[in-house]
Amino acid sequence: MRKLAFAGLAAVTAAVLTTVGVAAADPPPSSLVQISSFGANPGALAMYTYTPSGLETGRPVVVALHGCTQSAADYYAHSGWPALADRWRFAVVFPQQSTANNSLKCFNWFSTADDTRGNGEAASIKSMVDKAIADHGSDSSRVFVTGLSAGGGMTADLLAAYPDVFAAGGINAGLPAQCATSVTEATNCQQNDQHLTPAQWASRVKAQYPGYSGPWPRVAIWQGTGDYTVYPVNGTELRDQWTAVHGVSQSPTSTQSLPGSTTLTDYAGKVRLYSIAGMGHGTAVDPGTGPTQCGSTGAYFLAGICSSYYTGVFFGLDNGSGTTTTATTTSAPAGTCVSASNYAHTQAGRAHQSGGQTYANGSNQAMGLWNTFTIHALRETSPGYWVLADGQC
């Protein structure tokens, strides 16, 4: 009955996470291997793996979750994780959703039947982790998870449900853990500020494994400021959620400028928010042979910066060998400040409107009615990221 229920969501799920990709042909078995039996599979998912030739025991495992309409082969082909696995020596697990579970092949990040500890798809992914560790003699203390869009939402849920399994996670254009428990709530989460405090967000994580006191997974958050499928406010809410889980301030400890118009904001080394100016909905890649490059472009794989590389460095997969830039400690960086009508802000690309309401680009802060009479000041705190600054210009 569960599969039938989700199979009937074709029309409404299209509005939930439209990470529409063009499915790549499955690579040959020598590259991407399906594991037909991996233990308990209550979520009815498929397991694929990529294992570097001659992989040693005691190496890490990375779980990589595709977006809606995509496949394990898509994420294998474009994300850059296999090349990094060869370079840094770790196994990669690529779970795959089916249309029987969800008509658009979205991981069901908004269903408690699938995104909670011991249940559904989350439990199936945990079985895949156990299988990979057993097959490769992997280091169970270095298991990581990352994903795009619906896969990013499931990544956050997995970090909350299994903080004892995953040491860290990378969330690409995803949603806060346990933001939604229905399709209707999921659409609201994608597009709107939920107006929860950091403590309230953190409580949603900690409720997933009662009695667990840590350590908590570190989290890398990737968000395009021009993403209006999963709105930029989700990056801010993820930042609030996971800094509060770790008990650190929402004020940054440092910022860095990275390639691809990317601003990295660090929070005590526990949480990192990578904001990509102007980027829409997708996983950021940077094709090429340079030391920080990886991946290839495709549907919802967008050129600019190799997010997988920087996420891998954050995970520690490079054993400290990765190329980094020097951080500059700062607080609330000052930038351009403009006072204008909501209409003028949208025309100039500082804000956008939805349903007659105006929202600041980047922060997605509500600014009121979209017209020439409502005046607000906006300050650009990083490229393409605008916040309300009334009385400050």
Side-chain angles (χ1 to χ4, degrees):
M1 293 299 293
R2 185 184 73 85
K3 293 181 183 179
L4 290 174
F6 282 113
L9 291 177
V12 287
T13 306
V16 177
L17 279 180
T18 54
T19 312
V20 180
V22 178
D26 284 348
S30 60
S31 299
L32 189 66
V33 177
Q34 183 172 7
I35 307 299
S36 58
S37 179
F38 53 87
N41 186 17
L45 300 179
M47 177 183 180
Y48 290 83
T49 64
Y50 175 75
T51 308
S53 178
L55 183 66
E56 306 82 0
T57 60
R59 303 306 301 160
V61 174
V62 172
V63 178
L65 299 167
H66 64 75
C68 298
T69 77
Q70 294 183 322
S71 66
D74 291 318
Y75 227 64
Y76 166 86
H78 294 293
S79 66
W81 282 111
L84 293 172
D86 286 336
R87 188 194 313 180
W88 292 334
R89 312 297 293 167
F90 58 87
V92 190
V93 174
F94 293 95
Q96 182 167 284
Q97 182 60 287
S98 70
T99 54
N101 286 345
N102 184 293
S103 60
L104 291 180
K105 296 174 65 178
C106 309
F107 291 103
N108 288 305
W109 61 272
F110 47 84
S111 168
T112 55
D114 277 304
D115 65 7
T116 52
R117 188 179 180 92
N119 295 311
E121 293 165 14
S124 293
I125 294 168
K126 169 60 164 58
S127 293
M128 296 181 197
V129 169
D130 293 341
K131 174 66 171 174
I133 291 172
D135 284 353
H136 306 302
S138 304
D139 184 349
S140 62
S141 69
R142 290 192 292 167
V143 177
F144 308 94
V145 60
T146 185
L148 165 65
S149 196
M154 184 60 83
T155 293
D157 288 334
L158 287 167
L159 295 174
Y162 294 103
D164 53 332
V165 173
F166 298 104
I171 301 169
N172 298 272
L175 297 301
Q178 296 301 317
C179 187
T181 58
S182 70
V183 171
T184 301
E185 289 181 0
T187 302
N188 184 38
C189 285
Q190 279 181 249
Q191 298 177 354
N192 299 306
D193 189 334
Q194 301 304 297
H195 301 292
L196 298 181
T197 66
Q200 288 171 323
W201 278 120
S203 70
R204 296 195 177 194
V205 170
K206 295 183 178 181
Q208 297 309 299
Y209 189 10
Y212 183 77
S213 58
W216 295 98
R218 297 181 303 118
V219 182
I221 304 156
W222 291 85
Q223 182 66 54
T225 66
D227 187 345
Y228 299 117
T229 298
V230 175
Y231 279 45
V233 68
N234 287 280
T236 303
E237 290 173 333
L238 278 162
R239 183 275 313 273
D240 288 351
Q241 182 172 64
W242 289 98
T243 52
V245 166
H246 281 282
V248 300
S249 173
Q250 285 75 55
S251 297
T253 52
S254 67
T255 62
Q256 297 182 50
S257 292
L258 298 178
S261 300
T262 304
T263 299
L264 162 59
T265 308
D266 184 82
Y267 300 86
K270 305 295 186 180
V271 178
R272 287 183 177 176
L273 175 58
Y274 298 80
S275 179
I276 307 175
M279 192 183 88
H281 190 63
T283 295
V285 296
D286 186 12
T289 58
T292 66
Q293 291 181 289
C294 62
S296 61
T297 57
Y300 293 89
F301 292 94
L302 307 178
I305 182 173
C306 187
S307 57
S308 299
Y309 170 83
Y310 288 94
T311 297
V313 171
F314 176 68
F315 289 169
L317 296 172
D318 66 321
N319 294 320
S321 64
T323 299
T324 60
T325 58
T326 302
T328 55
T329 303
T330 184
S331 62
T336 301
C337 192
V338 180
S339 182
S341 72
N342 282 353
Y343 178 80
H345 280 309
T346 61
Q347 292 299 104
R350 296 184 289 269
H352 61 280
Q353 73 91 17
S354 177
Q357 297 291 313
T358 314
Y359 302 91
N361 283 353
S363 69
N364 209 43
Q365 290 176 305
M367 298 166 59
L369 291 173
W370 184 54
N371 58 36
T372 60
F373 305 105
T374 305
I375 307 296
H376 281 296
L378 291 178
R379 182 181 296 280
E380 189 178 33
T381 60
S382 62
Y385 196 99
W386 296 85
V387 298
L388 284 168
D390 291 338
Q392 299 178 29
C393 288

